[in-house]
């Protein structure tokens, strides 16, 4: 009798666990379905097909709207809330996004050019700022950009990015540290080999060879292209690995889970592609 | 013993299925509850009661905003993103929604009038375009509007919509085909009798009689009105059945599950009802 | 045999109930997690830290946008939809939020001052109107503000708010009635002692002493401050308990569950703190 009862209990427990698994699976997928993922893709593609078919001109009038709209590029503040003056003391980077000329001029502090490259959305810095997540993923906006590990990476790159003692004894271990860059996970948790999956962007931060090979080696090879270099020896500011450690994605504090290819960003870049005209 | 165990198992299985049903029901309703359905209805009604009580004038200033706002009438692009020029080569239908006069003029290509009928929101084409889903439900935006079955319906209506061989051998079977109109379900899956439920809009597409009777026969009869004709013999463009097969709901690619009576559409139509004034 | 089966059944039922509880708990929490609660807090704080660090000037241009935007302060109509004229016959309270001067002037009917107090967002009435929920929670927007119980509270306060027969025989029982104030729950369901929890705002509406002590007595004492008076004898319009019974939170019909400290409200009040400048 006891045996049978315990068997039944075991059956029941298995059932309960199975149910909970099923229930949680449904729950996880439910909001996605509710948000109409496919529909969203559908309406985005539909609009962009029309824009291409008619070669529709994106007007500055519309860009002005996007700059003033809360949540325009994902959940976050409107651009002009903070970027509304060319005075770097009153507006971050002295970037004024409230006028067309202000957008085109970009930041007025010293260290930026090509914020907008008319005719070249992909090559414009505004794309990088609105799209690239600071690493490690989820690191807080107010995390200092001059953490010891970050400064070390910068100096090492500017000194020539050699496979030297600094790299082996300091840099490589920092890629393994969950906290060296201010976040809660190490670089190598996501970038551990030149294969994706499991390694994001086919980037291997476990060795000098992997780092210097760069990102997306296999994917780019299929297109007959070289890998994407992430270290430019001698030039930290041009090195993607350094950019990702110090540049917060805008708007401030936006969740890295927000769509990097937000339809409004696509529209903004199309306006740049079309010449970033102000009239 | 075995008998009892299998009985218990059966009980358990029934329990599991019941649970899954309950769980999925809760999950389906959960996002709705989370979105505050009742609250939404409450705030929409509250606003419209105020508008009526004070006979509040909807200003063009506000309409201009709605035309420039992404997701204004449900998840989708802002109207002016595409409709920003009267040149049909640069803007679909040559429809310019970025100016008040452009809205009032409507499409500048040949085949539209009454886009806006000042004083008559319900009779204005803009309502149809923002509200009516193309059929079959979920058909993609880029599905051609000159599919053989659609062209046949058009010709058959323009030829007088008779109960002839064409209707019996071609049209009627096409209503039964899941793919004839570019979607994934047949017309008669939803429109199979003159009773709702189960038939949407009390529309019966299984017979000539049903089709010619039209929609909402029972509901309209209660108001002392005739059914809504869906076929106007000789005039395909005035026939709702043809309109629904070729007119995409705007904005492009919007999900048919989006509220057809969006509060912003109600505001827009009220502006039309009030005379569609530009100052 | 029957005994065992019924025991198993009981086990099963307990399991089912436990499961349903777990499932519903997960469902309730799922949308919250999906909405990215932490991320939201993060991006709001990030933006306000920037605004403080740079002492960024909030421009009227931005406030104008917020007044025109649907859902700006939570799910609800745009402010200017209804408040677009200084004529109290055409716009509630004669409040025109479509111009900077109109915002600063506030309602033009007789009974409001300090709608905007330049330099003092917290002391400005606009904060109260956009933030305080009418009581009882969830009461409908169109509930009359001259219900017998509400009029009695008003008169009793204006007559000196004494611990008299009126209070004991009429007011106190009305606090216990679920329907006296037009809602579906009594005042004392949430305000039943001077301790929070369980009593919201440490407010005790079960006795004269509790009511006259006011709200947040313990919390304020920790800051060395007196409790927040909710009754000002002789002045019903200055008495919070009366305000909460007659003032609907804006926009009309907004759900009381919407964030009372909406980031856009914070921005609006900051603009007031900075002097509510129009240029």
């Amino acid at each position: 009798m006891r045996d049978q009862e315990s068997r039944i209990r075991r059956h029941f427990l298995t059932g309960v666990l199975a149910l909970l698994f099923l229930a949680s699976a449904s729950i996880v997928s439910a909001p996605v379905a509710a948000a109409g993922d496919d529909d969203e893709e559908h309406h985005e593609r539909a609009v962009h097909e029309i824009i291409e078919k008619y070669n529709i001109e994106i007007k500055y009038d519309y860009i002005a709207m996007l700059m003033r709209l809360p949540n325009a590029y994902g959940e976050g503040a409107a651009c002009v809330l903070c970027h509304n003056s060319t005075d770097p003391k009153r507006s971050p980077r002295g970037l004024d996004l409230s006028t067309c000329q202000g957008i085109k001029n970009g930041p007025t502090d010293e260290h930026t050019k090509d914020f907008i490259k008319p005719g070249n959305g992909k090559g414009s810095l505004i794309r990088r700022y609105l799209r690239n997540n600071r690493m490690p993923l989820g690191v807080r906006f107010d995390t200092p950009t001059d953490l010891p590990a970050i400064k070390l990476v910068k100096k090492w790159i500017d000194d020539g990015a050699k496979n030297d003692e600094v790299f082996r004894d300091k840099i490589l271990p920092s890629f393994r540290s969950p906290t060296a860059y201010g976040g809660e996970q190490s670089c190598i948790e996501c970038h551990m080999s030149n294969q994706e999956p499991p390694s994001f962007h086919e980037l291997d931060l476990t060795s000098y060879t992997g780092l210097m090979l760069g990102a997306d080696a296999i994917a780019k090879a299929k297109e007959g292209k070289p890998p994407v270099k992430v270290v430019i020896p001698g030039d930290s500011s041009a090195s993607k690995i350094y950019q990702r450690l110090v540049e917060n994605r805008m708007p401030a504090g936006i969740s890295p889970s927000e769509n990097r290819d937000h339809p409004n960003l696509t529209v903004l870049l199309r306006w740049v592609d079309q010449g970033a005209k102000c009239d």
Side-chain angles (χ1 to χ4, degrees), chain A:
Chain A
M1 262 315 193
R2 280 199 77 65
D3 254 7
Q4 197 218 345
E5 208 186 312
S6 84
R7 214 163 54 229
I8 291 166
R9 276 201 178 133
R10 218 162 44 229
H11 273 298
F12 187 68
L13 204 65
T14 313
V16 166
L17 290 175
L19 259 182
L20 281 179
F21 176 75
L22 283 167
S24 59
S26 321
I27 290 162
V28 168
S29 66
V32 174
D37 225 44
D38 280 351
D39 295 330
E40 204 171 321
E41 284 169 23
H42 180 36
H43 74 71
E44 287 167 26
R45 192 171 44 244
V47 169
H48 289 293
E49 277 168 12
I50 296 170
I51 291 178
E52 266 159 35
K53 179 176 166 190
Y54 288 86
N55 191 20
I56 286 173
E57 191 187 349
I58 312 295
K59 303 279 177 76
Y60 169 67
D61 178 54
Y62 195 71
I63 301 303
M65 177 81 177
L66 293 183
M67 293 301 179
R68 279 157 179 77
L69 204 58
N71 310 320
Y73 306 102
E75 191 85 14
C79 303
V80 301
L81 180 57
C82 295
H83 294 295
N84 64 13
S85 161
T86 53
D87 178 357
K89 283 184 208 123
R90 296 302 302 275
S91 172
R93 315 284 318 269
L95 174 61
D96 183 4
L97 297 174
S98 69
T99 69
C100 189
Q101 204 49 53
I103 297 171
K104 296 181 75 167
N105 289 344
T108 56
D109 60 3
E110 74 277 20
H111 49 294
T112 310
K113 49 180 184 179
D114 295 335
F115 182 72
I116 297 283
K117 288 175 85 166
N120 183 354
K122 201 161 184 184
S124 297
L125 272 177
I126 196 170
R127 179 176 182 267
R128 196 165 101 195
Y129 292 155
L130 280 167
R131 198 172 175 280
N132 290 353
N133 291 305
R134 181 169 169 191
M135 294 287 136
L137 224 56
V139 67
R140 298 193 73 80
F141 181 83
D142 51 6
T143 305
T145 54
D146 60 354
L147 293 175
I150 298 177
K151 284 166 75 177
L152 203 65
V153 165
K154 180 177 169 47
K155 185 168 188 314
W156 172 76
I157 296 175
D158 289 335
D159 285 352
K162 307 203 181 85
N163 190 3
D164 54 13
E165 250 176 49
V166 171
F167 182 77
R168 284 186 305 268
D169 296 350
K170 302 274 179 69
I171 308 276
L172 213 46
S174 75
F175 290 163
R176 293 191 177 112
S177 156
T179 55
Y181 295 100
E184 292 175 355
Q185 54 186 342
S186 71
C187 305
I188 62 159
E189 268 187 64
C190 296
H191 305 293
M192 78 294 271
S193 80
N194 288 117
Q195 294 252 336
E196 178 173 344
S199 186
F200 284 80
H201 280 296
E202 304 174 0
L203 179 60
D204 178 13
L205 297 183
T206 66
S207 71
Y208 183 78
T209 321
L211 173 61
M212 300 311 282
L213 174 63
D216 297 320
I218 299 170
K220 290 291 175 187
K222 284 180 189 159
E223 305 171 24
K225 291 179 184 166
V228 178
K229 291 284 170 206
V230 299
V231 175
I232 310 295
D235 190 349
S236 59
S237 70
S239 298
K240 284 176 194 293
I241 196 164
Y242 178 69
Q243 292 166 3
R244 291 301 191 284
L245 292 171
V246 297
E247 292 176 359
N248 284 295
R249 178 171 164 194
M250 289 286 116
I254 190 172
S255 164
S257 65
E258 292 276 0
N259 182 6
R260 283 157 44 95
D261 296 301
H262 193 286
N264 287 343
L265 176 56
T266 311
V267 169
L268 174 66
L269 296 178
R270 205 181 273 271
W271 172 71
V272 178
D273 283 337
Q274 292 177 356
K277 287 181 201 139
C278 291
D279 56 344

